[in-house]
Amino acid sequence: MKQLSSAQIRQMWLDFWKSKGHSVEPSANLVPINDPTLLWINSGVATLKKYFDGSVIPENPRITNAQKSIRTNDIENVGKTARHHTMFEMLGNFSIGDYFRDEAIEWGFELLTSPEWFAFPKEKLYMTYYPEDKDSYNRWIALGVDPSHLIPLEENFWEIGAGPSGPDTEIFFDRGEAFDPENIGIRLLEEDLENDRYIEIWNIVLSQFNADPEVPRSEYKELPNKNIDTGAGLERLAAIFQGAKTNFETDLFMPIIREVEKLSGKTYDQDGDNMSFKVIADHIRALSFAIGDGALPGNEGRGYVLRRLLRRAVMHGRRLGITDAFLYKLVPTVGQIMESYYPEVLEKRDFIEKIVKREEETFARTIDAGTGHLEDLLADLKAAGKDTLDGKDIFKLYDTYGFPVELTEELAEDAGYKIDHDGFKAAMKEQQDRARAAVVKGGSMGMQNETLAGITEPSEFVYYVDTLESQLSVIVVDNERSEVVSEGQALLVFNQTPFYAEMGGQVADHGVIKNEKGDIVARVTDVQKAPNGQALHTVDVLASLSVGTNHMLAIDKNRRFSVEKNHSATHLLHAALHNVIGNHTTQAGSLNEEGFLRFDFTHFEAVTADELRQIETQVNGVLWHYLVKSTVKLFVLLQWEIILLNFVVVHTCLILPKSVFSRLLKKKVSVQVPVVF
C-alpha cells in the first residue's frame, strides 16, 4: 500500500480525471448561491445541479472536483463513530450526457488499482450493485473482479424525489479481520451491517432515469442525456492510505488534536475515551471554513447550525478541563492543514478568529444565565418534592437559553435529580417537525427539459440599443417546437435581441415585438437563459408569428433605466458596507427591480443607526460627486462649443468673398448643441 498524504490523494484524484479529459471545477463556497433548497453545499454534485437537470449546458461535459461540504443531520454522532463529520471533502468525477457506465467503471477501477495511481490491492476491493443492474455486474466481471466480491443490494438505487436518478455501484475496501472481531465476514456487506472492516470509499451513480414519485420505479422514463455522478470521501481514503484506525488519526485531524492536547494538558488515546478531542477537531474545521465562506453564528438557519457546533465544541473543551476561550486558537492549525488547496482559511484567519472568540465569550455568559435558570428549576422541584426534571424544561433551556443538554443533565444529576429523556426527545421532535414543514418544497434537482436543451440556434445579445430588427429562429409552445404560433403564450429565440435575460440579481427586460408593418404582435413578459445560453423570451402572443420572419424587438426603456439605476446602487451600497462595517461583509443575494432594490449581506451583529447613516451618506456622496462632475463637464462642453462656433463664424467671414458672405447673412441659420448625460 502506498503512503499518501491527504493533499497527495486529492491532487492525484484531480490529475487522473484531468488525464481523461475532465475539466477541474474549483471547490465552491459552502453557502449555496441561488439555491433555496439547500442550507449548505452538502456534496460534490450540489454545485453542478444546473448541468444535471439540463438548465445549463457545460462547456465540457466531463468535470471533476474536490468539494468542501457540510452535513448537519447527524451532529450528535460526530465523535462517537469513526467516520461521522460535519465538514468533509467529496472527491467526484461527473459526465453530463457524455460517457456512461462502461467508462465510469473501467476508469474507476484503473484509478484505484493502477500502480501509477492509487495502487490498491485488487483482492481488497468489494463492489455492491443494484440487483437488476446486470450491466454493471458484467462490467466488473470483464475487468477481472472475482464474482464473490460483487454483492447485490436492493438499496443501491439513488433518488431524491423527482429528477435524475438511477442505480449505483459502491466500492468498499476490506481492512481485514482485525476490524472484524466477531469474524462475521462478508455478511457485513450482504446484510448492510454497520462495521469498521469494509469501508465504503466510492459511490458511482449511474443517473439514467427521470424519477417520478407518482409511478413505480419500473416505469421511470429514460433521461434524454444519461449522466455519471460519483463521490469519494477524502477523509476515508486518507484513513486507509495512512493506516489509521479512524478518520481522526489522519493528517487532516491529528495536528488539531495535538494542539488540543497542549491546551488541555490531556493526552489523546485512540483506544480510550477520545470523543471530546474528535468533536473539537471536527467542529473547528467546519466553523473555520463556514465563517471563511461568509456564514456567521446566529439564531436561525445556517447561523444556528454554527452556533450549535461551536457550543458543542466548547462543552467538550470543558470536559477536557479547558474553561477559557480556546477554539479561536485552533484556526491557524486548520488553515495550515488545508492551505495547499484552500488558502482562504489562512487569508481570512484574523476575521475567523475574531468571530469564533466573540462567540465563545458570548456563550460563557449564556452558560452563567442558563445555570441560574436551571438552579431555579431544581429549587422548584425540591419544593414540590419531585425528583425528575421535566423534558419540556430541559428543551426550553436548550432552545431558549442555548444551554447544552449535556450540561443540564450533568448539573441535575450532580444535584441528585433524574432526567426526563423521553419528554426532551418528544419536545425536540416537535421542533424538528416544525422545521421540516418550513423547508422549501421541491426536489434537489429538476427534471431535464430535452426541448430547451436541444435549442442550438445562435442568439446574440445587444445591450446598448432600445430597438433592434431581428429574425425569429425558434418557437416553443407547450414544451414542443413549432413553426408558427398565433395565440396564447410561447417561448421565442431571435438571432439577436436587446432584451436582458434575468441574471446577477437584475430582473429581465419587458417590452414588445412588432411585425414589419409596425403592429405589436407579442408582449414580452419575461426573459431567461436557455440551457445553451440563448435569451428565451416568454411572450403573450397577440398575432401570428412564424419562424424565419423578421421582427422589431423593442424594450421598455423606462423599466430598463429604473432597473439599471437600482443595480448600480447595489454596487455603491456594497462598497459603502465594506468601508463602514468591514471587508468581511459579503453579498448573500440581491434583487434589482423596477421600483426597488434588495441587498442581502452577512455581518456578525446588527448594523447600528450610526453605521446606517454613514452608509447612506457615503452612497449619496458618490451620487452627488458624479452629478456635480457631470454638470461641470457639460458646462465645459458648452463653453467649447460656443468658442468653436465663434471661431468658425469669424474665420468664415475672413476667407469668404463678400458676395458669398452677404448671401449667408440673408439666410436664417440655427445651431443645435447636443446635450448628453
Side-chain angles (χ1 to χ4, degrees):
M1 282 286 292
K2 289 184 177 181
Q3 289 288 316
L4 298 177
S5 69
S6 56
Q8 288 173 322
I9 296 168
R10 184 194 299 114
Q11 193 58 52
M12 191 175 289
W13 177 279
L14 298 174
D15 289 345
F16 175 83
W17 292 109
K18 189 175 181 180
S19 75
K20 300 299 183 184
H22 291 61
S23 297
V24 178
E25 189 95 354
S27 184
N29 194 299
L30 282 168
V31 178
I33 305 298
N34 298 324
D35 189 346
T37 68
L38 291 177
L39 195 63
W40 302 100
I41 292 301
N42 58 10
S43 64
V45 74
T47 61
L48 309 179
K49 288 179 355 183
K50 58 188 177 183
Y51 301 141
F52 278 84
D53 65 18
S55 58
V56 175
I57 305 299
E59 293 184 9
N60 184 355
R62 300 182 181 186
I63 298 170
T64 184
N65 66 5
Q67 176 62 49
K68 54 190 173 182
S69 308
I70 284 182
R71 292 181 188 173
T72 58
N73 56 328
D74 216 2
I75 291 175
E76 298 304 327
N77 276 325
V78 174
K80 294 179 181 178
T81 70
R83 288 172 291 280
H84 273 97
H85 302 293
T86 48
M87 198 207 87
F88 58 94
E89 278 188 81
M90 190 64 80
L91 308 176
N93 64 285
F94 310 92
S95 168
I96 318 297
D98 188 47
Y99 65 84
F100 195 51
R101 176 184 285 102
D102 286 355
E103 296 89 344
I105 291 177
E106 178 185 342
W107 290 339
F109 197 62
E110 178 186 352
L111 172 57
L112 289 175
T113 62
S114 170
E116 181 185 355
W117 302 101
F118 287 161
F120 280 131
K122 295 179 181 179
E123 67 274 10
K124 291 286 188 180
L125 298 179
Y126 286 76
M127 296 79 175
T128 60
Y129 65 96
Y130 187 55
E132 296 180 21
D133 181 17
K134 301 302 182 184
D135 291 333
S136 290
Y137 175 87
N138 291 332
R139 190 61 186 154
W140 286 121
I141 292 293
L143 292 169
V145 176
D146 190 314
S148 67
H149 285 225
L150 295 171
I151 315 298
L153 288 179
E154 284 291 339
E155 292 77 14
N156 277 52
F157 194 95
W158 186 90
E159 59 182 325
I160 48 172
S165 67
D168 61 83
T169 179
E170 298 174 325
I171 304 170
F172 292 78
F173 182 85
D174 179 8
R175 296 207 291 176
E177 294 179 0
F179 293 89
D180 183 12
E182 298 178 20
N183 198 29
I184 298 175
I186 198 63
R187 283 201 301 115
L188 293 170
L189 273 183
E190 293 172 338
E191 299 176 20
D192 198 19
L193 302 175
E194 183 68 31
N195 71 95
D196 291 322
R197 176 173 178 173
Y198 299 98
I199 305 301
E200 181 193 341
I201 56 174
W202 199 351
N203 187 15
I204 300 175
V205 178
L206 308 162
S207 184
Q208 65 185 103
F209 301 108
N210 254 334
D212 183 352
E214 302 299 320
V215 302
R217 186 179 289 170
S218 59
E219 296 180 18
Y220 289 175
K221 294 181 179 179
E222 292 268 343
L223 287 172
N225 294 306
K226 296 178 176 61
N227 307 314
I228 292 295
D229 161 20
T230 82
L234 176 63
E235 290 78 10
R236 296 184 178 206
L237 287 171
I240 292 171
F241 278 115
Q242 295 169 26
K245 182 179 179 180
T246 75
N247 293 0
F248 292 93
E249 286 88 35
T250 65
D251 62 357
L252 290 166
F253 295 94
M254 281 309 298
I256 307 172
I257 290 172
R258 295 300 179 217
E259 289 301 312
V260 177
E261 287 182 323
K262 295 176 185 177
L263 292 168
S264 66
K266 305 289 175 60
T267 301
Y268 178 83
D269 178 4
Q270 70 172 17
D271 296 317
D273 182 11
N274 51 36
M275 179 177 176
S276 293
F277 284 99
K278 293 177 179 178
V279 169
I280 293 168
D282 174 274
H283 289 6
I284 190 58
R285 284 207 332 156
L287 287 163
S288 298
F289 274 86
I291 293 171
D293 279 356
L296 296 171
N299 290 325
E300 58 184 22
R302 296 183 194 95
Y304 180 73
V305 170
L306 296 187
R307 181 159 286 169
R308 182 182 175 194
L309 291 177
L310 185 140
R311 292 181 172 187
R312 188 167 186 255
V314 168
M315 293 311 303
H316 279 278
R318 291 192 170 221
R319 288 186 179 183
L320 295 175
I322 308 174
T323 55
D324 296 329
F326 74 99
L327 284 174
Y328 75 96
K329 299 177 183 178
L330 302 175
V331 173
T333 305
V334 174
Q336 290 159 11
I337 294 170
M338 311 299 283
E339 184 179 15
S340 64
Y341 201 69
Y342 302 101
E344 60 266 25
V345 175
L346 286 182
E347 291 169 0
K348 299 176 182 178
R349 167 186 168 177
D350 291 344
F351 174 68
I352 297 169
E353 287 180 350
K354 177 181 178 181
I355 297 302
V356 172
K357 185 178 182 182
R358 179 192 184 100
E359 190 70 15
E360 285 187 87
E361 292 170 344
T362 300
F363 184 43
R365 294 191 292 270
T366 297
I367 290 177
D368 292 338
T371 301
H373 189 72
L374 176 58
E375 288 173 350
D376 291 340
L377 288 172
L378 296 179
D380 292 341
L381 286 179
K382 184 176 181 180
K386 298 180 179 179
D387 64 352
T388 303
L389 185 61
D390 190 89
K392 291 184 178 180
D393 289 328
I394 301 171
F395 180 76
K396 183 176 181 181
L397 278 166
Y398 168 77
D399 192 50
T400 304
Y401 294 91
F403 204 67
V405 177
E406 300 95 331
L407 186 58
T408 299
E409 293 176 344
E410 182 180 326
L411 295 176
E413 289 173 354
D414 286 347
Y417 292 91
K418 298 176 183 178
I419 299 296
D420 177 16
H421 291 286
D422 292 339
F424 172 76
K425 290 177 181 177
M428 176 66 81
K429 186 177 185 304
E430 288 179 12
Q431 186 212 47
Q432 291 171 341
D433 290 342
R434 290 193 297 269
R436 290 190 186 98
V439 170
V440 176
K441 297 296 187 291
S444 175
M445 204 178 289
M447 288 191 179
Q448 295 179 356
N449 188 309
E450 188 174 6
T451 300
L452 299 186
I455 297 175
T456 57
E457 288 82 352
S459 178
E460 179 188 5
F461 174 54
V462 185
Y463 191 84
Y464 293 103
V465 296
D466 302 325
T467 305
L468 182 69
E469 183 176 355
S470 186
Q471 187 179 79
L472 179 58
S473 56
V474 177
I475 297 174
V476 177
V477 180
D478 294 332
N479 205 32
E480 297 289 341
R481 292 187 64 151
S482 175
E483 292 297 311
V484 64
V485 61
S486 57
E487 62 181 0
Q489 195 172 72
L491 302 175
L492 310 180
V493 175
F494 294 86
N495 65 343
Q496 286 186 314
T497 180
F499 283 85
Y500 181 82
E502 183 173 345
M503 187 169 49
Q506 180 169 323
V507 295
D509 284 331
H510 290 182
V512 297
I513 298 172
K514 300 178 181 179
N515 60 20
E516 292 179 329
K517 297 179 181 179
D519 300 325
I520 297 176
V521 292
R523 298 191 184 278
V524 180
T525 60
D526 189 26
V527 188
Q528 299 291 329
K529 287 277 189 175
N532 287 300
Q534 304 94 333
L536 199 61
H537 307 72
T538 299
V539 303
D540 292 329
V541 180
L542 305 178
S544 181
L545 298 99
S546 302
V547 169
T549 54
N550 290 332
H551 297 80
M552 294 301 297
L553 279 59
I555 68 168
D556 181 337
K557 292 185 290 184
N558 292 332
R559 173 186 167 84
R560 160 82 71 84
F561 184 56
S562 296
V563 172
E564 283 179 331
K565 288 193 297 182
N566 284 325
H567 196 162
S568 297
T570 61
H571 293 289
L572 297 178
L573 177 57
H574 200 182
L577 286 168
H578 279 184
N579 294 337
V580 175
I581 296 177
N583 288 330
H584 67 273
T585 53
T586 56
Q587 181 174 344
S590 68
L591 178 62
N592 306 299
E593 264 284 5
E594 183 177 7
F596 68 94
L597 68 88
R598 191 200 75 237
F599 188 81
D600 308 326
F601 63 96
T602 58
H603 187 40
F604 51 81
E605 61 186 356
V607 179
T608 66
D610 182 58
E611 287 170 336
L612 283 174
R613 281 192 293 271
Q614 291 183 55
I615 293 167
E616 183 179 359
T617 299
Q618 284 204 14
V619 173
N620 287 335
V622 172
L623 294 173
W624 275 109
H625 170 77
Y626 279 98
L627 178 61
V628 171
K629 190 175 181 180
S630 299
T631 303
V632 170
K633 280 186 175 180
L634 175 61
F635 178 75
V636 172
L637 175 65
L638 290 174
Q639 291 296 315
W640 277 107
E641 289 281 0
I642 294 170
I643 292 170
L644 181 61
L645 181 62
N646 288 336
F647 173 80
V648 171
V649 171
V650 171
H651 190 68
T652 302
C653 292
L654 292 175
I655 64 174
L656 287 178
K658 288 184 179 180
S659 58
V660 175
F661 184 62
S662 299
R663 287 196 297 272
L664 282 174
L665 289 177
K666 293 179 182 179
K667 293 181 178 291
K668 293 183 179 180
V669 180
S670 63
V671 179
Q672 293 183 341
V673 181
V675 179
V676 180
F677 283 96

